[in-house]
Amino acid sequence: MSKAAIIGGGVIGGGWAARFLLNGWDVAVCDPDPEAGRKIGEVLANARRSLPALYDRALPPEGKLSFHTDLAEAVTGARWVQESVPERLEIKHQTYREIATIAPGGIIGSSTSGFKASELAIDEAEVVVVHPFNPVYLLPLVELSGPAEPCERAAAILRGIGMRPLTLRKEIDAFIVNRFQECVWREALWMIRDDVATTAEIDDAIRLSFGLRWGQMGLFETYRIAGGEAGFDSYLRQFGPSLSWPWSKLTDVPELDEKLVAAICAQSDEQSGSLSIRELERLRDDNLVGFIRALRHSRMAAGLTVLEHEAGLPEGGEHEGLPITSQRQVPVGWTDYNGHMNEAHYLEAGSWATDGLMRMIGVDAAYIEGGHSFFTVDTRLRYLAEVHAGDRLTITTQVLAAEGKKMLLFHRIWRGDGTLAATIETLQVHTDLSTRRSSLPDPAVAAELSKLVAAHRGFPVEGVAIGFSPAAVH
Amino acid sequence: MSKAAIIGGGVIGGGWAARFLLNGWDVAVCDPDPEAGRKIGEVLANARRSLPALYDRALPPEGKLSFHTDLAEAVTGARWVQESVPERLEIKHQTYREIATIAPGGIIGSSTSGFKASELAIDEAEVVVVHPFNPVYLLPLVELSGPAEPCERAAAILRGIGMRPLTLRKEIDAFIVNRFQECVWREALWMIRDDVATTAEIDDAIRLSFGLRWGQMGLFETYRIAGGEAGFDSYLRQFGPSLSWPWSKLTDVPELDEKLVAAICAQSDEQSGSLSIRELERLRDDNLVGFIRALRHSRMAAGLTVLEHEAGLPEGGEHEGLPITSQRQVPVGWTDYNGHMNEAHYLEAGSWATDGLMRMIGVDAAYIEGGHSFFTVDTRLRYLAEVHAGDRLTITTQVLAAEGKKMLLFHRIWRGDGTLAATIETLQVHTDLSTRRSSLPDPAVAAELSKLVAAHRGFPVEGVAIGFSPAAVH
């Protein structure tokens, strides 16, 4: 079990703790704040509810979480030390030196947004800028900056906890992301100050237009599309002159004085004050999960990061003597107005279990790419217990019968507390994807199926309705 | 039937045409380009595939689309004229004057991003800036600027086609949104020019971090959360000083010379060149649909715009003598690797039909709010035909039986081409939401159910498996 030490337990430190912990690392948090346990507990509650919901496989079992006020205790044995202490250079240097004497040779990552790697560097240890974004447990990006070799080692570890490292090719102030955020922030301050727009109007202007574009394609790909068939080149030339139009106040910096702070706070209270920060955080996280799950379907951007991480997560195992064909946590998006998992998502969970069984018998992506798959013709679901957001589901599959083109599966959906939540009986027909007609499976697939039928014959089955004489095999 | 005239048929004009047309307006496009028909056809194909997928109800039947080279022909009888001609003031003024003589009294909306309303104004007509964002058929925001009364009239019409008008409180250059986009664009140009990052790195930096945040909450609500329990006020004060740090190059404007254009184009080709613009557009639209559908679940931002629009869409009707309980188009996100609608989404469609039936018998939002609902205990699906993205589904519901706490429904899912795609037999039990136990429905609900049972008794039903003796009613 790898251990990560998190030095400084604020929002960012807490996010790091959650990210490592939910990916199976032991985490030692070092913070003098007596409230650190409560604060990190709250971040962790949000993370447990959302991070696993990105995946269609179960994450590894959580690591152990411990709290320390003693740096040496926290850092001993750590493979990764993440520093998120206040942005004061002398405090950071002092911390690094202490860490170096206790845990020499390890990587020290700094969450700094204000200092460059060359400023953080000390002789006694390898310090790398590892700049994440809030919420750290959901947003995949980390900016890396520092010496090449430790940056590479750090990048590998960060990929292992589902992140997407972006290593800077040049050392620059504020790195890349905050430069963009900063210029928008300045422009927004001007608008409030000049009463051009309120905080709510600005937020709507952003989230109902380019915000929706930038979460998926960024800036250049979006404009490439805008250029259309005529080509990006001609679009850029046309765009060029507008750079010198009087379109922004960016050539000056507004003074963030008392009056402007008060105006922003009053407007923000009116806009968002009916919700607590916790409620806003949960909304934000639910939306992030929804966005990233949409991107999974397109296999791009943050969705691709998740898919790449997921491919390495373990599968398989047995439960009550039957193979586990799917294991996952229930995303909030699967629940409905009755406050529980909607009926259709029981079947979605079953659909993933059918996929898992198909992979077991050799009907994997390559087989499907080769032009054959199984189609569902008949399914019966019995709902036995309610399931809630955050429940961890384990689905086993019993092969009831397999003959010629057909196979009859019986999924059991188990809740984490050992309750059987549903059973799904499903009749599948092997299909030629080019003709869309039923066909015989590959002999190797048929042989695997026969083995499973024989192995699963002893298990009692309740409530079977479909059996093996389907009305419609097309 | 209302008529909209679209003057100028480029990407923006095409987006406007699609937005009006899919919301049931007749659309007359006026463009001298002989390719206008093909170009608008392509935009429309994208829009047909994605806009209806935002909704869980069917949009009204499409209006009629016609193409014209004669302005008078296009504009006659139009309730809305949207001008998207090139950004040259004398062309715009001339166009407005011609429109005013043909269709006096109507609103002329201009898609301009470069001119202020006061610059566009003429004596003969009411001209309003109606600035949309690409793709116009999916992004809800429109910036409005101009005289108050026509702005209000325009806003009402825009809401009617599912958009979210933002009326500017002051007339400013470039309006609100482009100020933000412009400053990020300038910063990005500097980064390419100075070889700090490539187009692909910049796009990743944006779409894997704040891009995901800004599509849902914008700027101020995001930072409000970052401020945490300590409050926005103290966060702002802490943020203040960094405004004067050397964090961006915004105080200067890069020259977009040949060398910089060439560098951007080469990097963009490497990043996105393997996909055509059409393919990129479809990816973008699929992601937008996924994002906005996620926001529906949170009832906020673009999701709220859709829900508000949806509430006004018609429901009901009959098909083959049974009530239509749901009607909708299949979103791309409902399809799987077999190239058709995934099995679970047949049940999701059925779940919407159950909701529709529930509303018919008085089990509406208020009834559920009052603490009672129906839970599914047993369901059988028979898959009879494949369904594809973009198919329009009509679902009818037959009440097979209703007695005491139970009702047995039979949904038929019809494809747009008249094929029966699936049947769903589902046993529902009336439930007390506080105890989570079965209970008797309100007498008025029971009476409505009895009426439907009697009315539906004559219809033949095939493949009923569950019947009315469920094993588990809990």
Side-chain angles (χ1 to χ4, degrees):
Chain A
M1 186 65 65
S2 294
K3 174 181 170 182
I6 306 299
I7 315 303
V11 172
I12 295 298
W16 277 114
R19 173 71 82 172
F20 277 105
L21 208 58
L22 294 181
N23 277 287
W25 287 56
D26 288 339
V27 170
V29 175
C30 181
D31 196 306
D33 181 359
E35 292 275 281
R38 178 186 66 80
K39 287 181 185 169
I40 294 213
E42 286 176 359
V43 177
L44 202 49
N46 279 346
R48 283 194 183 112
R49 186 173 174 279
S50 52
L51 176 64
L54 295 178
Y55 296 90
D56 287 324
R57 291 192 200 172
L59 289 170
E62 263 186 42
K64 282 200 305 279
L65 174 65
S66 58
F67 291 94
H68 310 269
T69 49
D70 180 55
L71 186 67
E73 213 178 274
V75 163
T76 302
R79 205 178 137 208
W80 182 282
V81 180
Q82 183 70 24
E83 168 271 304
S84 311
V85 305
E87 293 281 66
R88 297 231 301 279
L89 200 53
E90 66 282 8
I91 299 183
K92 288 186 188 278
H93 280 160
Q94 181 54 32
T95 307
Y96 302 154
R97 288 203 182 90
E98 287 179 42
I99 294 167
T101 59
I102 307 156
I107 289 177
I108 302 174
S110 173
S111 306
T112 186
S113 54
F115 295 108
K116 290 180 281 197
S118 59
E119 293 169 309
L120 298 178
I122 59 166
D123 291 337
E124 301 90 324
E126 302 273 30
V127 181
V128 174
V129 169
V130 182
H131 181 235
F133 299 87
N134 188 35
V136 181
Y137 49 84
L138 286 180
L139 294 186
L141 194 79
V142 249
E143 291 174 308
L144 285 187
S145 179
E149 192 279 324
C151 272
E152 274 167 40
R153 261 191 298 149
I157 288 173
L158 292 165
R159 280 194 203 94
I161 56 170
M163 301 185 87
R164 167 71 170 78
L166 175 63
T167 306
L168 270 61
R169 43 181 79 218
K170 281 188 183 175
E171 190 178 80
I172 54 165
D173 281 310
F175 323 129
I176 294 171
V177 172
N178 280 352
R179 290 199 162 208
F180 293 125
Q181 297 201 104
E182 185 74 9
C183 64
V184 171
W185 177 242
R186 289 186 194 185
E187 190 73 25
L189 292 181
W190 277 120
M191 288 194 197
I192 305 277
R193 205 201 72 139
D194 297 347
D195 193 31
V196 165
T198 65
T199 60
E201 286 168 343
I202 289 171
D203 280 0
D204 269 350
I206 293 173
R207 70 189 184 162
L208 301 173
S209 66
F210 65 86
L212 289 168
R213 296 196 293 224
W214 287 359
Q216 43 158 328
M217 283 190 172
L219 192 66
F220 287 96
E221 204 159 66
T222 298
Y223 287 146
R224 185 185 178 92
I225 291 180
E229 295 166 16
F232 199 21
D233 186 273
S234 70
Y235 183 72
L236 284 176
R237 277 171 226 283
Q238 164 195 334
F239 210 127
S242 69
L243 281 172
S244 51
W245 293 0
W247 272 19
S248 82
K249 291 228 175 173
L250 293 172
T251 46
D252 199 358
V253 177
E255 195 189 339
L256 193 60
D257 56 15
E258 285 302 313
K259 196 177 152 207
L260 184 50
V261 167
I264 294 172
C265 288
Q267 290 178 11
S268 174
D269 284 349
E270 200 186 332
Q271 175 190 358
S272 319
S274 65
L275 297 174
S276 72
I277 298 296
R278 289 283 161 260
E279 288 169 318
L280 286 171
E281 281 175 348
R282 277 195 292 273
L283 272 178
R284 176 198 65 190
D285 291 357
D286 290 349
N287 295 333
L288 289 174
V289 168
F291 284 13
I292 296 175
R293 290 199 64 87
L295 293 168
R296 282 180 64 112
H297 202 269
S298 308
R299 306 190 65 83
M300 62 183 278
L304 187 60
T305 311
V306 168
L307 286 170
E308 287 171 351
H309 187 208
E310 182 175 284
L313 296 175
E315 277 193 301
E318 283 201 355
H319 182 74
E320 309 242 324
L322 287 168
I324 295 172
T325 43
S326 180
Q327 204 163 27
R328 60 171 309 128
Q329 184 172 312
V330 176
V332 179
W334 284 17
T335 59
D336 63 20
Y337 54 78
N338 284 326
H340 59 199
M341 184 163 86
N342 177 266
E343 53 175 333
H345 294 288
Y346 284 80
L347 185 51
E348 183 164 353
S351 187
W352 281 101
T354 299
D355 283 0
L357 188 280
M358 281 163 61
R359 282 195 297 276
M360 278 180 67
I361 59 173
V363 183
D364 53 14
Y367 188 93
I368 294 166
E369 189 67 33
H372 293 86
S373 186
F374 278 96
F375 282 11
T376 309
V377 290
D378 206 338
T379 293
R380 196 231 185 150
L381 297 100
R382 294 173 66 233
Y383 299 88
L384 307 174
E386 292 183 81
V387 169
H388 298 97
D391 279 353
R392 188 167 168 137
L393 303 179
T394 296
I395 308 168
T396 62
T397 301
Q398 179 174 356
V399 185
L400 294 180
E403 207 184 287
K405 304 165 178 177
K406 297 181 268 174
M407 67 177 181
L408 184 65
L409 309 180
F410 195 77
H411 303 307
R412 288 175 178 85
I413 303 182
W414 298 92
R415 275 195 331 216
D417 66 356
T419 303
L420 183 62
T423 63
I424 302 178
E425 183 192 358
T426 182
L427 181 67
Q428 304 278 325
V429 173
H430 190 270
T431 302
D432 184 316
L433 290 174
S434 54
T435 63
R436 311 306 269 188
R437 294 179 160 276
S438 63
S439 65
L440 285 171
D442 189 277
V445 168
E448 287 302 316
L449 269 173
S450 298
K451 273 190 238 169
L452 289 172
V453 172
H456 297 172
R457 191 160 284 144
F459 288 85
V461 190
E462 272 183 24
V464 168
I466 299 170
F468 215 58
S469 312
V473 175
H474 55 115
Chain B
M1 185 68 64
S2 295
K3 173 181 170 183
I6 307 298
I7 315 304
V11 172
I12 294 298
W16 277 116
R19 173 72 81 173
F20 277 105
L21 206 59
L22 294 181
N23 277 287
W25 287 56
D26 287 337
V27 170
V29 175
C30 181
D31 196 306
D33 181 358
E35 292 277 279
R38 178 186 65 80
K39 286 181 185 168
I40 293 212
E42 285 175 359
V43 176
L44 202 49
N46 280 346
R48 285 195 182 111
R49 186 173 175 277
S50 52
L51 176 65
L54 295 177
Y55 296 89
D56 287 325
R57 291 191 201 172
L59 290 170
E62 261 185 43
K64 281 199 305 280
L65 175 64
S66 58
F67 292 94
H68 310 269
T69 48
D70 179 55
L71 186 67
E73 210 179 276
V75 163
T76 303
R79 206 178 136 208
W80 183 281
V81 180
Q82 184 69 25
E83 168 273 304
S84 311
V85 305
E87 293 281 67
R88 295 229 305 277
L89 200 52
E90 67 282 8
I91 298 183
K92 289 184 189 279
H93 280 161
Q94 179 55 33
T95 307
Y96 303 153
R97 287 201 184 93
E98 286 179 40
I99 294 168
T101 59
I102 307 156
I107 289 177
I108 303 174
S110 173
S111 306
T112 186
S113 53
F115 295 108
K116 290 180 282 198
S118 58
E119 294 169 310
L120 298 179
I122 60 167
D123 292 336
E124 300 89 325
E126 300 274 29
V127 181
V128 174
V129 169
V130 183
H131 181 235
F133 299 88
N134 188 36
V136 181
Y137 50 84
L138 287 180
L139 293 185
L141 194 78
V142 249
E143 291 174 308
L144 284 188
S145 180
E149 192 279 324
C151 271
E152 273 166 43
R153 260 192 297 150
I157 289 174
L158 292 165
R159 280 195 204 93
I161 55 169
M163 302 186 87
R164 169 70 170 79
L166 176 63
T167 306
L168 269 62
R169 42 181 79 219
K170 282 188 183 176
E171 189 178 81
I172 55 167
D173 281 310
F175 323 128
I176 295 173
V177 173
N178 279 352
R179 291 200 162 207
F180 293 125
Q181 297 201 102
E182 184 74 9
C183 65
V184 170
W185 177 241
R186 290 184 192 185
E187 190 73 28
L189 292 181
W190 277 120
M191 287 194 198
I192 306 277
R193 206 203 72 140
D194 297 346
D195 193 32
V196 165
T198 64
T199 60
E201 285 167 344
I202 289 170
D203 280 359
D204 269 350
I206 292 173
R207 70 188 184 163
L208 300 173
S209 67
F210 64 87
L212 289 168
R213 297 195 293 224
W214 286 0
Q216 44 159 326
M217 284 189 170
L219 191 66
F220 287 97
E221 202 158 68
T222 298
Y223 286 147
R224 185 184 178 92
I225 291 180
E229 295 166 16
F232 200 21
D233 187 273
S234 71
Y235 183 73
L236 284 176
R237 278 169 225 285
Q238 165 196 331
F239 211 126
S242 69
L243 281 173
S244 51
W245 292 359
W247 273 19
S248 81
K249 291 226 179 178
L250 295 173
T251 46
D252 200 359
V253 177
E255 196 190 338
L256 193 59
D257 55 14
E258 285 301 314
K259 196 176 151 205
L260 185 49
V261 167
I264 294 172
C265 290
Q267 290 178 12
S268 174
D269 284 349
E270 200 185 335
Q271 176 191 356
S272 319
S274 66
L275 296 175
S276 73
I277 297 297
R278 288 284 162 258
E279 287 169 317
L280 286 171
E281 279 175 347
R282 276 194 293 271
L283 272 177
R284 175 198 66 191
D285 291 356
D286 291 350
N287 295 331
L288 288 174
V289 169
F291 284 12
I292 296 174
R293 291 199 64 87
L295 293 167
R296 281 180 66 112
H297 202 269
S298 308
R299 306 190 66 83
M300 63 184 277
L304 187 59
T305 311
V306 168
L307 286 170
E308 287 170 351
H309 186 207
E310 183 174 285
L313 296 176
E315 277 192 302
E318 284 201 355
H319 182 74
E320 310 243 325
L322 287 168
I324 294 172
T325 44
S326 180
Q327 203 163 27
R328 60 171 308 130
Q329 183 172 314
V330 176
V332 180
W334 284 17
T335 60
D336 64 20
Y337 54 77
N338 285 327
H340 59 201
M341 185 163 86
N342 178 266
E343 55 175 331
H345 295 288
Y346 284 79
L347 185 50
E348 183 164 354
S351 187
W352 280 100
T354 299
D355 283 0
L357 187 281
M358 282 163 61
R359 281 195 298 276
M360 277 180 66
I361 59 172
V363 183
D364 52 14
Y367 188 94
I368 294 167
E369 190 67 33
H372 294 87
S373 187
F374 278 97
F375 282 11
T376 310
V377 290
D378 206 337
T379 293
R380 197 230 186 152
L381 298 100
R382 294 173 66 234
Y383 298 88
L384 305 175
E386 294 182 80
V387 169
H388 298 97
D391 279 352
R392 188 168 170 137
L393 303 180
T394 296
I395 308 170
T396 62
T397 301
Q398 179 172 358
V399 185
L400 293 182
E403 207 185 288
K405 305 166 177 176
K406 298 180 268 176
M407 65 177 182
L408 185 65
L409 308 180
F410 194 78
H411 303 306
R412 289 174 177 84
I413 303 181
W414 299 92
R415 276 194 329 216
D417 65 356
T419 303
L420 183 62
T423 64
I424 302 178
E425 183 191 357
T426 182
L427 181 67
Q428 304 277 326
V429 173
H430 190 269
T431 302
D432 183 317
L433 289 173
S434 54
T435 63
R436 311 306 268 187
R437 293 178 162 279
S438 62
S439 66
L440 285 171
D442 189 277
V445 168
E448 287 301 316
L449 269 172
S450 298
K451 272 190 239 168
L452 289 173
V453 172
H456 296 172
R457 193 161 281 143
F459 288 84
V461 190
E462 272 183 26
V464 168
I466 298 169
F468 216 58
S469 312
V473 175
H474 56 114

